[in-house]
Amino acid sequence: MKKTVWYRKSGKEGDVVISTRIRLARNLLRFPFPDFASSEQKETILDMVSKSLASSDLKSVNLGKLEKRELLSMVECHRISPEFVEYTENRGLFTNEDETVSIMVNEEDHIRIQVMRSGLDLKDAYKEADKLDDLLESQLEYAFDKRLGYLPQCPTNLGTAMRASLMMHLPALQETGKIHLLSGTVSKLGLVIRGLYGEGSRAEGAVYQLSNQVTLGISEKEAIENLEGIASQIIREERNARKELCQNPVYEDRVWRSMGVLKTARLLSHEECSNLLSNLRIGVALGLLPDISMDTLCGLMCDIQPATIMTLCGKDLEANERDVKRAELVRERL
Amino acid sequence: MKKTVWYRKSGKEGDVVISTRIRLARNLLRFPFPDFASSEQKETILDMVSKSLASSDLKSVNLGKLEKRELLSMVECHRISPEFVEYTENRGLFTNEDETVSIMVNEEDHIRIQVMRSGLDLKDAYKEADKLDDLLESQLEYAFDKRLGYLPQCPTNLGTAMRASLMMHLPALQETGKIHLLSGTVSKLGLVIRGLYGEGSRAEGAVYQLSNQVTLGISEKEAIENLEGIASQIIREERNARKELCQNPVYEDRVWRSMGVLKTARLLSHEECSNLLSNLRIGVALGLLPDISMDTLCGLMCDIQPATIMTLCGKDLEANERDVKRAELVRERL
């Protein structure tokens, strides 16, 4: 068992907000974007970033030494982007001990600073990202335009080049269908909300990501305050919807049954397991299941994912073998 | 909690055979069949039977004092026939302390002697029925024809007028579809097998009734031996099918999940509960669930039925209230 990292514990407003992420995209002056840069140029960039981070507590991760499943597990735990693992040559990753910081080098942009926190913690996460940004900027020359702001490869990031997002658990808004209304409303306010796993109208495990869409003509502070304000409203609405749903004995029954199945099943697919854990989260949030902690559920939500299960087992597994291991893991923890 | 009666415990071959029933139909000479008899005639018959049973350990049940739910509960527990509770005027019921014997007066026939046993126990059940039959016959004049045998109202019972039946739990033969083949085979051997609950191809809780069809030109002894022989084959086939099914991890998973749901659910319909208990029976039979006894499951299978739940609660309940009480009862017992 690894030590408790941010993605295995719950934080502020943890009944609804699973985690916070701040991501800054930065590029170096006089270098082509990674997609157009030569191997030599990318190696130079990696070297420059590495030197700039020498005084920080970040350590370089030896990507070449990692198994594919370990890289994919880092994606599942939201430590790195899915695009980052498509290939690892001439790319770099710097991370700290508690895994809250990931600096990806030569992903879509030369530098992507990512800071994660359990629960709702936008200001603190931004503060840390900003500090790292300052450290790098004091030694590197960024591609920056006084009028436009930071110049990232993708024009939709132009300006602050900051993406702030919250991973939220919204089962009651999903159940009542209010999530669809919400989706229209937040887009008018410069935000976007989308199901984090699964396709179609129902997000697997009812996990949604709320993030800022606008990066131009707005300061980082304003963007974060805007996001925080709307998140507070959504949190309130989700809590009210939960209270209402729980008047219905069918809903309480579902929470209990979910626990029954999780505690006994010998085979659990990722999708079913996510949805059952989602039901348990509500049970814990509503005080129905005093013996289970939200930390346990956060850890499980992370660890039941395919590549993470395989990483914990230290070997690749077929889907049906994963279902067995997943059920074992869940029984062990609950 | 009532004392343990036959329908709340398991008996011989209890992994497959839930219970044994012997039923003898008898009518009195010089009286019309109940459907054609006057109230006075039926009262006279009831009186004659009552006197004939005076020396036995059977007690008369005051049917008029029972609530409808109590009568229906007796039907659910197979102590009396569904037809018997359609009305109770001029009808009588005699039963013993452990509830293994029910003598119904003025049901379809003047006298129906029924003896029940847990598990497979045809010979002993028949012996007891025969003894009671002798007791009555020593004092009453039966309608009997030397060539045809006993003369019951329904000609299909002509001859021995004996119906011997076994309530069997056949989930594996149901699961593998072999039950349909079996149905054709046994009918050629003078027996019939049918789902005891629910309509269509799947019997609720996988409970089937195997009984003799032929009553003419065969002795009671032969009929019972025939039934017993075929039952042994079915028991063997069911056990083999179970062993085979349990090679499949999905099946074991289902047993465990069923326990998880039964131990936690807050709402349980009769149909779902029957099917989950059916899965648990297999788990117990295969030694997967050492903490649960077959007696507990026999008791539950009986007690979760609608009228029996209401009888245990001492009041009538709506369907949704029964679902709550049923879930409570199951959690309490498991």
Side-chain angles (χ1 to χ4, degrees):
Chain A
M1 192 58 208
K2 288 190 187 183
K3 74 190 181 69
T4 308
V5 288
W6 67 268
Y7 47 88
R8 287 198 180 88
K9 62 187 178 192
S10 76
K12 229 183 114 204
E13 320 291 355
D15 56 332
V16 179
V17 183
I18 299 169
S19 63
T20 295
R21 186 180 78 181
I22 296 286
R23 205 197 61 206
L24 304 175
R26 300 290 184 256
N27 287 280
L28 301 187
L29 206 62
R30 284 183 293 273
F31 282 94
F33 289 126
D35 287 356
F36 307 94
S38 68
S39 286
E40 289 72 26
Q41 287 173 314
K42 288 198 267 190
E43 280 303 319
T44 307
I45 293 163
L46 186 51
D47 203 47
M48 289 168 74
V49 174
S50 182
K51 278 182 185 135
S52 307
L53 290 172
S55 69
S56 75
D57 63 348
L58 300 187
K59 299 270 178 300
S60 169
V61 176
N62 191 335
L63 296 174
K65 270 204 168 172
L66 293 180
E67 299 280 348
K68 186 80 185 173
R69 60 173 177 269
E70 293 175 294
L71 286 166
L72 290 173
S73 169
M74 291 171 88
V75 176
E76 288 175 350
C77 300
H78 304 283
R79 295 181 55 200
I80 55 177
S81 65
E83 295 74 21
F84 190 71
V85 295
E86 281 164 15
Y87 64 92
T88 53
E89 300 88 62
N90 310 131
R91 285 181 159 176
L93 174 65
F94 299 86
T95 184
N96 59 350
E97 214 192 331
D98 65 6
E99 302 180 5
T100 49
V101 173
S102 300
I103 294 184
M104 288 172 273
V105 181
N106 292 325
E107 199 237 30
E108 186 180 298
D109 297 291
H110 294 152
I111 302 170
R112 290 227 162 165
I113 303 169
Q114 179 183 284
V115 177
M116 303 285 311
R117 288 283 185 277
S118 312
L120 178 68
D121 202 2
L122 282 162
K123 289 197 179 90
D124 190 51
Y126 177 69
K127 218 165 102 183
E128 181 153 8
D130 193 37
K131 215 176 76 188
L132 287 162
D133 189 35
D134 288 348
L135 175 68
L136 290 168
E137 203 165 10
S138 68
Q139 303 164 74
L140 303 168
E141 245 184 308
Y142 279 166
F144 182 84
D145 179 272
K146 273 192 179 152
R147 201 171 50 91
L148 293 171
Y150 293 100
L151 302 173
Q153 183 173 227
C154 180
T156 58
N157 294 329
L158 208 65
T160 58
M162 177 190 79
R163 197 68 70 197
S165 51
L166 299 174
M167 200 153 89
M168 303 180 89
H169 184 229
L170 305 175
L173 292 177
Q174 178 175 279
E175 182 81 16
T176 56
K178 284 183 189 159
I179 199 85
H180 299 295
L181 292 173
L182 207 64
S183 178
T185 313
V186 302
S187 79
K188 285 177 202 141
L189 299 165
L191 302 182
V192 64
I193 190 163
R194 60 184 183 86
L196 202 53
Y197 307 106
E199 290 301 307
S201 60
R202 289 184 74 85
E204 203 171 285
V207 178
Y208 290 84
Q209 191 184 49
L210 178 74
S211 57
N212 68 315
Q213 191 74 322
V214 179
T215 52
L216 204 55
I218 189 171
S219 73
E220 287 88 348
K221 191 168 171 280
E222 284 167 333
I224 283 172
E225 276 168 3
N226 183 31
L227 180 62
E228 197 149 32
I230 293 161
S232 303
Q233 284 178 47
I234 296 175
I235 294 168
R236 214 177 307 124
E237 280 191 51
E238 169 65 21
R239 284 178 185 152
N240 288 339
R242 287 182 189 181
K243 270 184 216 146
E244 231 173 275
L245 278 180
C246 275
Q247 306 293 315
N248 186 346
V250 173
Y251 212 70
E252 197 194 329
D253 180 53
R254 198 195 293 170
V255 168
W256 284 105
R257 281 166 182 255
S258 299
M259 186 166 80
V261 172
L262 286 168
K263 276 189 165 179
T264 52
R266 262 54 186 169
L267 296 173
L268 281 171
S269 73
H270 181 226
E271 186 183 349
E272 183 189 15
C273 194
S274 299
N275 290 328
L276 293 172
L277 286 173
S278 166
N279 294 338
L280 245 56
R281 278 187 65 98
I282 309 170
V284 171
L286 292 169
L288 289 174
L289 309 171
D291 295 342
I292 296 175
S293 78
M294 203 57 108
D295 283 1
T296 302
L297 297 183
C298 285
L300 273 176
M301 277 174 63
C302 173
D303 293 338
I304 60 157
Q305 297 177 101
T308 306
I309 284 250
M310 297 195 293
T311 301
L312 289 172
C313 291
K315 62 176 176 187
D316 287 348
L317 300 167
E318 299 290 324
N320 58 340
E321 294 173 316
R322 286 200 298 270
D323 290 353
V324 172
K325 287 285 173 197
R326 186 176 289 118
E328 271 177 28
L329 184 79
V330 171
R331 289 204 307 281
E332 220 175 87
R333 302 258 184 103
L334 289 179
Chain B
M1 192 57 208
K2 287 189 187 182
K3 73 190 183 70
T4 308
V5 287
W6 66 268
Y7 47 89
R8 287 201 180 87
K9 62 186 177 195
S10 75
K12 230 183 112 204
E13 319 292 355
D15 56 332
V16 179
V17 182
I18 299 168
S19 63
T20 295
R21 186 181 76 181
I22 296 286
R23 204 198 60 204
L24 304 175
R26 299 293 182 253
N27 288 278
L28 302 188
L29 204 63
R30 283 183 294 274
F31 283 94
F33 289 126
D35 287 357
F36 306 95
S38 68
S39 286
E40 288 72 29
Q41 288 173 315
K42 288 196 268 190
E43 280 304 317
T44 307
I45 294 162
L46 186 51
D47 202 45
M48 289 166 73
V49 174
S50 181
K51 278 181 185 135
S52 307
L53 291 171
S55 68
S56 75
D57 63 346
L58 301 186
K59 298 268 180 299
S60 169
V61 175
N62 190 335
L63 296 172
K65 267 201 169 172
L66 293 179
E67 299 278 351
K68 187 80 185 172
R69 62 175 175 267
E70 293 175 295
L71 286 166
L72 290 172
S73 169
M74 291 170 88
V75 175
E76 287 175 351
C77 300
H78 304 282
R79 295 180 56 201
I80 54 177
S81 65
E83 294 74 22
F84 191 70
V85 296
E86 281 164 15
Y87 64 91
T88 53
E89 299 89 58
N90 310 130
R91 285 182 159 175
L93 174 65
F94 299 85
T95 184
N96 59 350
E97 214 192 330
D98 65 6
E99 301 180 6
T100 49
V101 174
S102 299
I103 295 185
M104 288 173 271
V105 181
N106 292 322
E107 199 238 26
E108 187 179 293
D109 297 292
H110 294 150
I111 302 169
R112 289 224 160 166
I113 302 169
Q114 180 183 282
V115 176
M116 304 285 312
R117 287 283 185 277
S118 313
L120 179 68
D121 202 1
L122 282 163
K123 288 195 182 92
D124 192 50
Y126 177 70
K127 218 166 100 184
E128 181 154 8
D130 193 36
K131 216 177 74 186
L132 288 163
D133 189 35
D134 288 347
L135 175 67
L136 290 167
E137 203 165 12
S138 67
Q139 303 165 74
L140 302 168
E141 246 185 304
Y142 279 167
F144 181 83
D145 179 272
K146 274 193 176 154
R147 201 172 52 90
L148 293 171
Y150 293 99
L151 302 172
Q153 182 171 231
C154 181
T156 58
N157 294 328
L158 209 63
T160 59
M162 179 190 79
R163 197 69 71 198
S165 51
L166 298 174
M167 202 152 92
M168 304 181 86
H169 185 228
L170 305 174
L173 292 177
Q174 177 175 279
E175 183 82 14
T176 57
K178 285 183 189 158
I179 199 84
H180 300 296
L181 292 173
L182 207 64
S183 179
T185 313
V186 301
S187 79
K188 285 175 203 144
L189 299 165
L191 302 181
V192 64
I193 190 163
R194 60 184 184 85
L196 202 53
Y197 306 106
E199 290 301 307
S201 60
R202 289 184 73 85
E204 203 173 283
V207 179
Y208 291 83
Q209 191 183 50
L210 178 74
S211 56
N212 68 315
Q213 192 74 324
V214 179
T215 52
L216 206 54
I218 189 170
S219 73
E220 287 88 348
K221 191 168 171 278
E222 286 167 334
I224 283 171
E225 276 167 4
N226 183 33
L227 179 63
E228 197 149 30
I230 293 161
S232 302
Q233 285 178 43
I234 296 176
I235 293 167
R236 213 175 310 124
E237 282 192 48
E238 168 66 21
R239 285 180 185 149
N240 288 339
R242 286 182 190 179
K243 269 182 216 145
E244 229 172 276
L245 278 179
C246 275
Q247 306 293 317
N248 185 345
V250 173
Y251 212 69
E252 197 194 328
D253 179 53
R254 198 195 294 170
V255 168
W256 284 105
R257 281 165 183 255
S258 299
M259 186 166 80
V261 172
L262 286 169
K263 275 190 166 178
T264 51
R266 260 55 185 170
L267 295 174
L268 281 171
S269 73
H270 180 226
E271 186 183 347
E272 183 188 15
C273 194
S274 299
N275 290 328
L276 294 171
L277 286 173
S278 167
N279 294 339
L280 245 57
R281 277 187 65 97
I282 309 169
V284 171
L286 292 169
L288 289 173
L289 309 171
D291 295 341
I292 296 176
S293 79
M294 205 54 108
D295 283 0
T296 302
L297 297 182
C298 285
L300 273 176
M301 277 173 63
C302 173
D303 293 338
I304 59 157
Q305 298 178 99
T308 306
I309 285 252
M310 296 195 295
T311 301
L312 289 173
C313 291
K315 61 177 176 185
D316 287 348
L317 299 167
E318 300 289 326
N320 59 341
E321 295 172 318
R322 286 199 299 270
D323 290 353
V324 172
K325 287 286 173 194
R326 186 176 288 117
E328 272 176 28
L329 184 78
V330 171
R331 291 204 306 281
E332 220 175 270
R333 301 256 185 103
L334 290 179

